Amino acid sequence: PSSVRYREFGISIPTNYEIHGIDVSRYQQRISWEAVKEMEVANIKLGFAFIKATEGNGKVDPYFKRNWERCKKAGIVRGAYHFFIASKDGKTQAQNFADNVKLESGDLPPVLDVEQTNGQSGPALRAEIKKWLDTLEEYYGVKPVIYTNADFYKNYLEGYFDDYPLWVAHYLQLHQPRVNRTWTFWQHSEKGRVNGIYSKVDFNVFNGDSVAFRSILIP
């Protein structure tokens, strides 16, 4: 079967992927990262976590600093993401992220979470996205990852930014997300359960093996 339901995780998990992970923000509150690291069900362990860092021009997630430090300490590969406000300047938003996120060797690349137009046209939205991506690619020396959902991708991003890794949300799919391009991460559920986390949590897979995974980490 391409997807197996695990009672402990509370969801079906796509079986043809080796590397599984979660993403979190302040909604998950205080996380016991050691418990997340120790959880193992039928050979499935959580190998990475994307953590919300910043939003818009000046907001910082109140749990970011704690999650960022403790995730690494627990031995889970960590990544940080920025929630994009399309009506605000992309460069200022990139600066907010850079001011708050010190990426180290072995971390995942920075992530731009874009899922709303905030009343902007497609071209205006993409212009601000480009500023964010360019600013942080120059700052960190790696290509950022773009996170969005399958519908938003189709409506606003398809055919653009194709040389950036794509992390796509598409739920209730068995094999993979339905997008017409190569993708790197897939958020396949928002209803997972994990030891050490009180509330439900998003589950993801990486599209590749451990060698491919290591190759996208910050050198």
Side-chain angles (χ1 to χ4, degrees):
S2 55
S3 160
V4 174
R5 188 174 168 84
Y6 294 94
R7 188 178 50 79
E8 297 90 338
F9 291 126
I11 54 169
S12 293
I13 292 192
T15 48
N16 37 353
Y17 300 96
E18 289 177 29
I19 299 172
H20 301 264
I22 56 174
D23 59 275
V24 301
S25 69
R26 66 188 169 86
Y27 296 111
Q28 276 73 34
Q29 301 177 326
R30 289 174 79 85
I31 294 170
S32 165
W33 285 100
E34 292 72 26
V36 175
K37 170 72 174 171
E38 283 163 17
M39 188 171 185
E40 183 168 353
V41 182
N43 285 336
I44 293 178
K45 286 175 79 80
L46 297 169
F48 66 89
F50 285 113
I51 298 164
K52 183 175 181 182
T54 50
E55 177 173 332
N57 286 349
K59 278 191 187 161
V60 182
D61 188 289
Y63 283 90
F64 173 65
K65 199 172 182 306
R66 181 184 194 276
N67 282 334
W68 190 242
E69 288 164 0
R70 301 205 178 191
C71 180
K72 185 180 175 84
K73 204 171 160 212
I76 297 171
V77 175
R78 63 186 183 176
Y81 73 88
H82 174 85
F83 189 84
F84 195 67
I85 308 291
S87 51
K88 311 238 188 241
D89 177 62
K91 192 164 186 178
T92 312
Q93 295 191 67
Q95 197 56 55
N96 181 22
F97 185 91
D99 287 346
N100 287 288
V101 182
K102 187 182 183 313
L103 292 176
E104 296 172 5
S105 174
D107 290 338
L108 287 155
V111 177
L112 180 66
D113 172 348
V114 54
E115 43 191 297
Q116 297 166 359
T117 61
N118 306 99
Q120 304 301 298
S121 68
L125 166 78
R126 290 188 290 270
E128 297 310 326
I129 288 174
K130 186 175 189 319
K131 284 191 216 169
W132 193 95
L133 296 170
D134 288 350
T135 304
L136 290 186
E137 186 169 356
E138 194 179 325
Y139 183 78
Y140 293 111
V142 292
K143 272 201 180 311
V145 173
I146 297 172
Y147 166 90
T148 192
N149 62 66
D151 286 341
F152 195 91
Y153 175 78
K154 202 173 286 169
N155 292 333
Y156 298 101
L157 302 178
E158 192 165 43
Y160 300 92
F161 309 116
D162 282 351
D163 49 344
Y164 290 87
L166 180 66
W167 170 19
V168 62
H170 203 186
Y171 307 141
L172 307 172
Q173 307 297 309
L174 285 179
H175 307 276
Q176 60 188 57
R178 289 207 292 273
V179 286
N180 292 323
R181 65 158 276 198
T182 310
W183 54 272
T184 305
F185 292 96
W186 168 28
Q187 186 184 84
H188 58 83
S189 176
E190 53 182 345
K191 295 184 160 70
R193 290 260 172 227
V194 181
N195 294 350
I197 303 182
Y198 179 67
S199 60
K200 290 184 175 174
V201 64
D202 300 334
F203 266 61
N204 303 275
V205 290
F206 171 74
N207 191 13
D209 61 13
S210 55
V211 176
F213 185 72
R214 276 198 298 275
S215 77
I216 70 160
L217 302 180
I218 289 187

